[in-house]
Amino acid sequence: MTRRELAGMIDHTFLKPDGDGNAVKDLCREVAEFGFACAMVHPCEVKNAVRFLRGTGCRVGTVIGFPLGQNTAKTKAAEAAEAVKNGARDVDFVFNRRLLKAAAAGNGTAQKELARELEALAEVKACADGVVAKIILECCELTDDEKIVACVAAKEAGFDFVKTSTGFGRGGATAEDVRLMREAVGPAMGVKAAGGIRDWETARALLAAGANRLGCSAGVKILQECDGIRA
């Protein structure tokens, strides 16, 4: 793996609710300079990020129903459709966790509602070329069985990635969760690790466990630390 290849596996992220007025512009400059997979920003910043990255060929990503996932499926779908219209090409949806837990416990009504939500969200991807869709599980709040149910449901609905965390929960990505998710979805689907990835040692462990995308704000630091990888 080269540094450039590693950078292409990182969603460079700014999802804080506050910060310097130049934060998104600086994020986009780093995405273009280092070749990160995308600039991941809040929906209200998608247009700005697209403007900052115009002409670079770099992608913009965003989060939907973030960070709790308790919006209705219709609201999430509308939010995603607007983001895609504004130029987002990576779209990370937060699962309705209470619905997932009920479905995993065998509640038939919840299972049907969960399937309808996933279908509604997947429809956004189907209506736009080149959109990469991810489902965020918030693994720290789920049992292993619930994680597996979520992964299988996301795969069956046609999502491209399952993602460990929002970064706003009680815990972030762990190698154990990544291994479990990789086993649940198989080799063809993406697994994105996010939350608490602040150094190369952590990033390397998550990649070794089966992640093929990382979501973090420390991408530049990680690249600077990865000694032994070709430039």
Side-chain angles (χ1 to χ4, degrees), residues 8 30 49 65 93 108 120 170 220 226 228 231:
E30 291 171 347
F93 299 88
R170 293 184 296 111
V220 174
C226 61

Side-chain angles (χ1 to χ4, degrees), residues 10-220:
I10 295 174
D11 288 351
H12 198 37
T13 302
F14 181 76
L15 294 174
K16 296 178 181 178
D18 50 18
D20 184 273
N22 290 321
V24 172
K25 186 175 183 179
D26 291 342
L27 181 87
C28 292
R29 175 183 52 78
E30 291 171 347
V31 167
E33 178 181 351
F34 292 96
F36 291 118
C38 74
M40 184 63 65
V41 298
H42 283 292
C44 61
E45 296 287 4
V46 167
K47 280 187 176 182
N48 284 335
V50 169
R51 177 166 55 87
F52 293 141
L53 287 170
R54 186 168 291 124
T56 66
C58 298
R59 296 168 67 92
V60 174
T62 195
V63 288
I64 301 299
F66 192 84
L68 299 178
Q70 297 302 303
N71 317 65
T72 65
K74 184 177 180 180
T75 297
K76 289 182 187 178
E79 185 181 18
E82 181 182 17
V84 169
K85 181 180 178 181
N86 288 339
R89 286 299 174 266
D90 278 57
V91 183
D92 294 15
F93 299 88
V94 185
F95 241 137
N96 183 326
R97 192 163 67 243
R98 286 189 293 175
L99 190 61
L100 168 62
K101 283 180 170 290
N107 184 304
T109 300
Q111 290 170 348
K112 291 177 182 178
E113 290 180 4
L114 182 66
R116 282 195 293 267
E117 171 166 315
L118 289 172
E119 288 169 5
L121 303 184
E123 184 64 23
V124 176
K125 167 183 165 61
C127 292
D129 292 335
V131 171
V132 173
K134 314 182 191 96
I135 281 286
I136 308 174
L137 275 60
E138 204 70 282
C139 287
C140 64
E141 305 292 349
L142 303 175
T143 67
D144 284 354
D145 286 345
E146 289 165 348
K147 295 167 197 173
I148 292 169
V149 168
C151 287
V152 171
K155 182 178 181 179
E156 290 178 347
F159 283 82
D160 300 294
F161 282 81
V162 285
K163 177 178 171 182
T164 61
S165 324
T166 63
F168 286 76
R170 293 184 296 111
T174 69
E176 292 76 16
D177 281 335
V178 168
R179 278 191 287 269
L180 180 71
M181 293 164 72
R182 173 55 67 201
E183 183 176 348
V185 302
M189 189 176 183
V191 174
K192 177 177 173 179
I197 308 172
R198 301 184 180 92
D199 53 52
W200 167 232
E201 183 178 356
T202 302
R204 178 169 53 186
L206 294 167
L207 293 171
N212 58 336
R213 186 74 65 90
L214 305 174
C216 55
S217 59
V220 174

